[in-house]
Structure formats: structure tokens, C-alpha cells
Amino acid sequence: DEKVRKAAAEALGGADPRASPDAGPALAAALRKDAAAAVRAAAADALRELDEVSAQAAVALEEAAEGDPSPVVRLAARRALWEYHL
């Protein structure tokens, strides 16, 4: 269910990466593969909220910022990348 996947992505954004090391990779996978734009945007926002910078997440965000078919997802990915650069 799209609403459940979106809620899960939002919840993972508040996770502690040390306690939940799979949060970042799961969000990156959702950003790359989920069929629903709302879920992909939530995953990008959640990656921005994690207190962790990873190469895997950065690559997924760059791909989404440049090539996602949804403008909402592209914007969310760009915002997350901006935070990564800070």
C-alpha cells in the first residue's frame, strides 16, 4: 500500500543511523525503485533528515534529482543534496 510505504519512509527519516544501519540503504532503494512518486519524495526527504551521509544515498539522490519523472521527487532530491553539501 502506497500510504504505508510513504509512512515507513517518513518514519525512517527520524531513525538513528547507528541503531538502524539499514535505514539509509532502504531509503535509497525506495528512492530508486518505488512506483509511487509520493513514496520516492518521502524517501528523499527522509534521507535529508538522517544524520548520516553515505555514498549510496548521495548517488540515489543525484540520480533522482536529474532523472526522476516526477518534479516533486526531483525537487525533494535537490533539497536533500543541498543539505548533503552543507
Side-chain angles (χ1 to χ4, degrees), residues 6-71:
K6 183 177 182 258
E10 292 168 349
L12 285 175
D16 179 355
R18 293 170 299 222
S20 303
D22 293 334
L27 290 167
L31 178 57
R32 283 188 168 129
K33 299 177 184 177
D34 201 279
V39 176
R40 294 191 311 274
D45 287 338
L47 283 168
R48 186 182 80 226
E49 293 173 11
L50 281 179
D51 289 332
E52 175 183 62
V53 175
S54 74
Q56 180 183 17
V59 169
L61 288 166
E62 287 174 0
E63 290 171 354
E66 295 299 319
D68 196 276
S70 168

